[in-house]
Amino acid sequence: MSNKLVVKSLPVLPEVKLIETPRHDDARGFFSETYSLRAFSEAGIAAVFVQDNHSLSVARGTLRGLHFQTHPFAQDKLVRVTRGRILDVVVDIRHGSPTFGKHASTVLSAENNLQILVPIGFAHGLVTLEDDTEVVYKVSNFYSAEHDGGLLWNDPALGIDWRLDGITPVLSEKDRIHPLLADLPQYFKYGDVEKSGS
């Protein structure tokens, strides 16, 4: 097995990276170095992370998003699943971008060992596809309530298929009232994002 990271761009949003870290399996289980500043830097990922977050979602269909932080507390995010399975969704909210308002999604699970890098200028969300799903993610800036922003998860202009299969999503009160894309202030402009993880 290779000891190198495998880094691929997501279709539609090339700045968003899907990352596979080497995993070594044996009779005891497995070992994986999920983050190394040196390895990520050698793979061209410049983000330096300052905080780790860990969430548990008890019920399948728990939907968190779409979230971001604004400058000067804007964040790159590195997301992985330690138990269960999620559909991870990223939306480009950089005004002037050729992919503004477009989204990409991928399934992350404890089994597939994949991570997703969400650069500054993108809104991030997820929905759990199994009960008792745990998500761990690194961020490149500290949490700031004053700079916490969001985009409405079911904005028709986004056209996101959350794969709910008839399940009513479990949402926080905050996530129910985020603005539509058309009403979102111009927090990020294409080409102006200086601190980016990709």
Side-chain angles (χ1 to χ4, degrees):
M1 166 179 268
S2 171
N3 287 316
K4 296 275 189 182
L5 297 179
V6 177
V7 181
K8 299 177 181 177
S9 294
L10 279 191
V12 182
L13 303 180
E15 296 92 342
V16 180
K17 306 299 183 185
L18 195 62
I19 301 166
E20 184 176 0
T21 53
R23 187 160 84 175
H24 306 281
D25 297 88
D26 63 23
R28 300 166 298 171
F30 72 84
F31 173 82
S32 181
E33 188 178 86
T34 59
Y35 176 74
S36 160
L37 178 60
R38 179 173 57 193
F40 274 62
S41 296
E42 289 173 354
I45 297 170
V48 176
F49 299 103
V50 300
Q51 180 177 314
D52 280 14
N53 301 319
H54 187 170
S55 71
L56 165 67
S57 298
V58 174
R60 178 187 172 200
T62 298
L63 197 153
R64 300 173 184 265
L66 296 154
H67 302 151
F68 56 88
Q69 281 192 181
T70 60
H71 293 296
F73 286 90
Q75 299 173 324
D76 300 292
K77 296 180 180 179
L78 181 65
V79 184
R80 66 188 181 95
V81 172
T82 56
R83 179 167 62 159
R85 194 164 52 101
I86 65 171
L87 179 70
D88 199 273
V89 178
V90 184
V91 179
D92 187 351
I93 56 172
R94 302 168 301 164
H95 281 261
S97 166
T99 54
F100 176 75
K102 296 190 180 302
H103 73 276
S105 64
T106 192
V107 173
L108 304 180
S109 69
E111 184 178 356
N112 70 19
N113 201 41
L114 296 174
Q115 303 185 61
I116 191 167
L117 178 74
V118 182
I120 290 168
F122 293 79
H124 173 257
L126 63 89
V127 64
T128 58
L129 303 176
E130 296 180 9
D131 292 341
D132 297 319
T133 290
E134 295 190 47
V135 177
V136 174
Y137 60 101
K138 295 181 173 295
V139 291
S140 64
N141 214 330
F142 298 106
Y143 173 72
S144 172
E146 293 180 9
H147 300 85
D148 191 20
L151 177 62
L152 191 64
W153 69 278
N154 62 347
D155 181 350
L158 302 177
I160 298 171
D161 177 3
W162 289 96
R163 303 190 195 177
L164 289 165
D165 298 326
I167 295 173
T168 300
V170 179
L171 295 159
S172 69
E173 287 306 312
K174 183 172 69 172
D175 285 349
R176 295 177 190 275
I177 59 170
H178 288 311
L180 299 168
L181 181 66
D183 299 325
L184 199 67
Q186 294 190 22
Y187 293 120
F188 305 98
K189 292 187 179 178
Y190 182 65
D192 287 352
V193 178
E194 296 177 358
K195 183 183 177 187
S196 176
S198 56

